Amino acid sequence: MDPGIPVPPPLYGGHERLVAMFIDEYTRLGHDVTLLAGPDSLAPRVKHFGINNLERSGLQKFIELTQAWSYLIQNHKHFDLIHNFGRLLYLLPILNKPVHKFMTYGRDVTNSGIKNITALPHKNLTFTGCSNYCVSTGNKWGKWETVYNAIDFSKYSFKSQVEPDAPLMFLGRIEEIKGPHTAIKVAKATGNKLWIAGNIAKQHIPYFEREIKPHIDNEQITYLGPLNDFQKDEFLGKAKALLFPIEWDEPFGMVMVEAMACGTPVIAIKRGSVDEVIDQGLTGFKATTINDIIPAIANISGIDRAKCREQASKRFDVKVIARRYLSLINK
């Protein structure tokens, strides 16, 4: 795992959270797992490298690359599987070694890297993407498999019902492509309250000040700030629906599954992976435009929250996804 954010992450960090869950599940299944990640990362067996700083220099990243190479060259024979959630280049010195190697992508793939790596001699290398959409951006070279992202459903509290006037919720990075401004428009058009939660990166502060902050009145529209895991569980469970009005091709959208785990259905714009993640009418509704979102809200009470969680659990619980990864070794 790339340094920059510890594993598990204190707040946001999708892949870091995934890695932590897989370590727990593989260990529960009886496997010995070693984590190679940044400082403050926790695991039964962990090797730290690099620094925790998302804005670290290019020189620092090169140093980290050489540290990862050194560790893998010295230790690859001790492992049956090396699962890389970090930079593709980490695998370079062991590409042609017999050990099984998974390279996992959670975002659109840079094809030049895949092309160059697969042009070299290599063995037992499988690329995985977090959705069919994600895989479609990179499967021109190499062997590819779709393996969805996961959450640990046991850590989410199921809410069988919510109040009739329960708020809608937006949870995600506060930036234009995620669509919180659209969530505000929908809430106002339907007379619903709206909770907005998420972190604001420095470069998106002007957007927040211009498009979001003027609408915050702490009555109909409330900004909750960044949420930790316990707070996410609490607020998602109390919401009547999660709004996911994206303006980009989302590779997966973990927050959709987190909402479903609480029994909260999702209403999302059908881009990227949305068509794969939502089961129409069972775990939520897929919309083409903002005009489709408004009638979907009127029908949200028709979704059975217990069935919503049950269906999502069958598809995205960490127990299911961990076994999917393990099955690829035999495949």
Side-chain angles (χ1 to χ4, degrees):
M1 186 69 235
D2 284 328
I5 300 175
V7 176
L11 286 173
Y12 291 92
H15 265 184
E16 290 78 11
R17 185 167 281 104
L18 276 174
V19 169
M21 284 190 295
F22 289 135
I23 290 171
D24 289 344
E25 183 60 20
Y26 291 150
T27 302
R28 191 187 70 81
L29 291 171
H31 299 283
D32 292 324
V33 183
T34 298
L35 170 65
L36 180 63
D40 303 324
S41 296
L42 303 174
R45 294 163 58 181
V46 60
K47 170 69 174 176
H48 295 125
F49 77 117
I51 61 174
N52 286 332
N53 180 358
L54 292 177
E55 297 180 0
R56 60 200 188 280
S57 68
L59 175 60
Q60 175 60 34
K61 290 181 179 179
F62 176 75
I63 292 171
E64 293 166 356
L65 182 63
T66 61
Q67 291 171 334
W69 283 350
S70 176
Y71 181 83
L72 291 175
I73 289 169
Q74 294 177 47
N75 295 281
H76 69 272
K77 290 182 180 179
H78 302 318
F79 302 110
D80 298 312
L81 168 68
I82 294 173
H83 194 166
N84 184 17
F85 284 83
R87 298 171 64 185
L88 175 58
L89 277 175
Y90 290 159
L91 298 178
L92 185 60
I94 59 166
L95 270 181
N96 208 33
K97 303 298 183 183
V99 61
H100 290 277
K101 295 165 285 288
F102 293 165
M103 177 67 221
T104 290
Y105 287 91
R107 62 189 67 183
D108 286 6
V109 178
T110 303
N111 282 285
S112 59
I114 306 293
K115 181 180 180 181
N116 293 334
I117 283 288
T118 53
L120 299 172
H122 60 277
K123 295 176 184 174
N124 297 329
L125 174 63
T126 301
F127 299 98
T128 71
C130 60
S131 62
N132 293 332
Y133 164 75
C134 183
V135 167
S136 74
T137 68
N139 64 349
K140 296 179 178 65
W141 299 276
K143 176 186 174 184
W144 284 83
E145 298 281 352
T146 295
V147 185
Y148 291 122
N149 283 341
I151 66 168
D152 185 349
F153 274 68
S154 70
K155 294 184 177 179
Y156 289 81
S157 306
F158 171 62
K159 303 293 191 304
S160 61
Q161 58 185 11
V162 296
E163 298 297 326
D165 62 346
L168 301 167
M169 187 165 187
F170 171 92
L171 176 60
R173 296 192 307 272
I174 308 301
E175 58 178 292
E176 189 166 3
I177 63 171
K178 293 289 190 175
H181 56 284
T182 302
I184 290 172
K185 290 178 184 176
V186 168
K188 291 189 172 184
T190 59
N192 280 283
K193 293 180 180 179
L194 175 67
W195 288 332
I196 299 174
N199 60 313
I200 308 170
K202 209 177 288 185
Q203 66 269 30
H204 299 303
I205 290 176
Y207 163 74
F208 174 79
E209 296 285 340
R210 183 182 67 251
E211 300 289 343
I212 307 301
K213 189 174 180 180
H215 301 283
I216 297 171
D217 57 11
N218 293 321
E219 292 183 5
Q220 184 179 17
I221 311 295
T222 301
Y223 175 56
L224 302 172
L227 302 182
N228 61 32
D229 288 348
F230 297 104
Q231 292 168 324
K232 282 197 295 183
D233 182 50
E234 176 187 359
F235 285 103
L236 283 172
K238 292 178 180 178
K240 74 167 62 171
L242 175 77
L243 298 183
F244 198 69
I246 51 173
E247 297 183 5
W248 75 308
D249 292 326
E250 179 76 52
F252 185 79
M254 195 90 74
V255 67
M256 291 191 285
V257 181
E258 291 175 326
M260 295 170 190
C262 298
T264 301
V266 181
I267 303 173
I269 295 293
K270 191 167 65 172
R271 292 189 60 171
S273 66
V274 165
D275 198 35
E276 301 170 60
V277 174
I278 294 177
D279 291 294
Q280 182 76 359
L282 186 58
T283 61
F285 296 108
K286 294 173 273 195
T288 304
T289 68
I290 184 174
N291 292 329
D292 301 324
I293 295 177
I294 293 172
I297 291 173
N299 294 324
I300 208 70
S301 61
I303 288 185
D304 185 315
R305 291 175 68 97
K307 291 180 180 178
C308 174
R309 176 183 164 99
E310 179 185 11
Q311 174 66 7
S313 177
K314 288 177 181 177
R315 300 184 63 204
F316 305 117
D317 185 68
V318 66
K319 293 180 175 61
V320 175
I321 303 302
R323 284 172 172 78
R324 164 77 171 132
Y325 272 121
L326 294 174
S327 73
L328 293 181
I329 298 177
N330 295 328
K331 183 176 180 181

